[in-house]
Amino acid sequence: MQLRVKANKKEYFDFSNISNDKHFMVQFNKIANQLIKDNQVNLINYINEFILQQSQTKIRNNQIKQNIQKEKSNQQQGKNYNQSFIEQQIQFSRKQVFILLLMMYSNSIDKDNQNMQQSGFYQINMELIKQSQCKQSQEKLKCIHSYFINFYNRFLKQDVVINNDQQLNSNQRQIQDLEKEIQEEEYKHSQKIQYLNQKIEMIRNQLLNNNNEEDEFVTYIRRTEFRQYNQIFNDQQYLLSYFTKNKGRCEDYQNSVLVNFADKNVGGLSLDPFNIAQEEVLMLTHPEALISMLFMEPMDDNEAILIKNVIRFNDYDGYGQTFRQKDEDYFKLIYNPSTKQNNEFSQQKEDLNKLTQNKKIIKNHILCMDAISYKNWQLQFDQVYINRELTKSYIAFSLALDYTNNENISTGKWGCGIFNGDVQLKFLIQLLAFSKALQDIKQKNEQNKIQDYKNKTERMIIFSAFNDNQFDDLIQFYENALMKKDQKYCKTIIQEIENLKLQIKQQNNYGPNR
């Protein structure tokens, strides 16, 4: 049954618990309620149209698969059909994301299918973590409260609450209409599709040119790939991409594409009272990603999701039960000492001038790709599961490379926590898939004579060890071995995977602690 969202008709929502500053909360409550009142209906309708679009796309999948199967004969007849995937995307200004998170926090969004609300994966409101007294819930709330306070202080405090979102909504409606026209035309006129895409990009650029950070777009993109493993990985002669290692956390690489070790339900247990694993960490440190839980359906094996242009509002220590929220320094007022003044008045004036806010903002992209969970650890070495993971990571890396320019991919032990994945196998799979995705985008851009293709192809994948010395040593071993002149082709990685499979079969004792 298709999930739809609807608005709660409550007239006033109380946000007084997010700060102890009563004066601040009076102003915040006033502005928050006005923003919800002015935007709730339009935002709900916009989301439901996107949900409907995803549902309609699934109906069309069989037709696209049939077109791909006919690709050879079409090319022989002079037809050029290169569509191997489809995408749906939805965009919001930062201010609209803020409003949606206010609505999630205040329990002002409901889903028609009430039976789904009992599962943590389908939570779209924050009542469970607001009502819970456990430490994990309190730390999750600190992250969300920090986002509200910092967004308000940085973007909204000086605003007059006169809604200027009508033009944004109009532009987004225009984009949506053009995207629907693309769907209708995609099988008929490739040149018109290109024209419509250019027109969409022009509208988006016009919106971005106002230089207001609150009106920057956050984009949520879902890609569905229709090629099978053997259609994607049909060549073993392509070059390996460059890669490197990081001893710390993957999110420590700023302004990059952060791989989210996601559940197929994007957001996972972010709004559950207890659990905080890698996906929840990324969602809580980048709260603008949380609204994807409102409209992104669970991912199939041939799908990945990119959340583009989110700000990191929080930092943290620990993991799981030891997770602790830390405010980002760039949202704080910082004091710069200087020479002493001769009198008390001038000293007070100077002190006031020294309190400044750092303008640095860290923006990342979050790439959601779900690994398989293995109760039987040995199963992951069967070729069918290796093919699935290669295909999944290829789709994700291709999506990220297509929609970003010079950011590197920052990843790590994908699916190697509670999903029981083998660290060495998952490292090899990601390196192979990224190398293939990078080669494909290079070829596509060269064929299309895209001028900045070098910016898109001179990138690398960074593997973070999360302070795991054994994984760090493993990356270093392969970095030394694979960069030799005679071992730069991906057939070397394929052979490494085959050797690893053989080793597992020959072992007498199976288990994750090899």
Side-chain angles (χ1 to χ4, degrees), residues 443-458:
Q443 291 179 347
K444 180 176 69 174
N445 290 342
E446 287 177 339
Q447 290 171 1
N448 295 335
K449 297 182 179 179
I450 295 177
Q451 297 297 320
D452 66 342
Y453 77 89
K454 287 186 178 180
N455 291 333
K456 288 178 174 288
T457 55
E458 292 178 356

Side-chain angles (χ1 to χ4, degrees), residues 91-98 151 155 168 172 204 207-220 288 308-311 361-363:
Q91 289 184 317
F92 300 93
S93 69
R94 292 201 190 282
K95 189 172 181 179
Q96 290 174 321
V97 174
F98 175 76
F151 187 94
F155 301 122
L168 281 172
Q172 288 180 333
R204 287 174 180 156
L207 289 169
L208 290 174
N209 284 337
N210 60 19
N211 293 322
N212 293 327
E213 284 182 308
E214 69 185 71
D215 290 333
E216 284 184 341
F217 277 123
V218 183
T219 308
Y220 307 78
E288 291 168 320
K308 188 178 177 183
N309 197 31
V310 288
I311 292 175
I361 285 289
I362 296 174
K363 295 176 184 176

